[in-house]
Amino acid sequence: MWEAIGQAIKTFVEKHLIPTVISVVVAIASFLILPADFWMIERIGKVPFALLVAGIVFLIIQLLIFLFRKIHGWLSNKSAAEYRFRNDVKLEKEVLEKIWSEVDALSPDDRKVLKGFVASNNAPIEKSSGSRYFGNSLFNSNWVVSTEEYVEEEKTAVPVHLDLPKKQKGQVMTVNIMDMYDTRTIIVKYKLRDDIYNLLKYSMENYGKISHFE
């Protein structure tokens, strides 16, 4: 039992060597500072008084160490957060500057379409399949994605006239036949890529613009 207690004390002292030494020194010094007839010494005895002083000093030191670590950790986290924030702001500005310059280079109509996408939460725009875009058109760029779909319409009855020969020589008979024509058409749906839309949306919400000018 005493061996186990001694081992526990040894481990404790090794782990908290400096606070323990300071506590013992202060406890011994208290006997030199206080008079021999100090009321607490007389009431509880020298050994309990020394242990009490050492314990109080030890707890105060441990509290100071705890507060120091907490404050140091808070300052370190704050410094790291400020560093990350500065880097994030710098990166954000670089990305926005790049996309603003690209939007500036678009035509007025394309910039208007971009604003429409942002305002409508990137709702698809439908165009006829016969529409083709060339050059620097927004719809011809890698900023948009597209898909083709059929637009189902009712079949239309169209009269067809056929001339059939009559039994009498030299005469013909006209017959009207209602033929059904399939009038399905193809449309193309366009929308912005998600990353482009999210960036433009962020720019509009935080800076009130999607380019350097508007």
Side-chain angles (χ1 to χ4, degrees), residues 48-185:
F49 177 76
L51 292 176
L52 177 63
V53 173
I56 293 174
V57 173
F58 181 82
L59 291 176
I60 292 174
I61 293 173
Q62 290 297 103
L63 178 61
L64 292 176
I65 293 174
F66 173 79
L67 292 176
F68 172 78
R69 289 175 177 173
K70 282 291 183 182
I71 294 173
H72 181 268
W74 179 78
L75 291 175
S76 297
N77 291 337
K78 182 180 179 182
S79 177
E82 290 176 349
Y83 176 78
R84 289 194 300 269
F85 175 76
R86 287 194 298 270
N87 282 351
D88 290 344
V89 170
K90 181 181 178 181
L91 179 61
E92 173 187 307
K93 201 65 177 177
E94 290 176 355
V95 172
L96 289 176
E97 282 290 337
K98 182 178 179 180
I99 198 167
W100 286 348
S101 297
E102 294 189 30
V103 175
D104 289 338
L106 296 175
S107 68
D109 288 339
D110 284 342
R111 292 198 298 271
K112 184 177 180 180
V113 171
L114 280 181
K115 288 183 177 179
F117 276 127
V118 173
S120 66
N121 294 321
N122 205 22
I125 293 179
E126 296 182 356
K127 299 286 185 179
S128 67
S129 60
S131 301
R132 291 292 181 268
Y133 301 94
F134 303 96
N136 294 325
S137 170
L138 173 66
F139 294 101
N140 195 40
S141 70
N142 63 354
W143 279 19
V144 298
V145 291
S146 63
T147 185
E148 293 185 354
E149 293 184 3
Y150 281 114
V151 177
E152 298 288 347
E153 297 181 4
E154 295 182 359
K155 291 185 177 181
T156 304
V158 180
V160 178
H161 299 280
L162 297 177
D163 291 331
L164 301 178
K166 284 186 176 182
K167 291 183 179 180
Q168 294 81 359
K169 186 178 180 181
Q171 294 182 342
V172 295
M173 178 179 63
T174 301
V175 179
N176 290 330
I177 300 175
M178 303 301 290
D179 195 6
M180 304 297 289
Y181 282 87
D182 189 350
T183 57
R184 288 192 308 176
T185 58

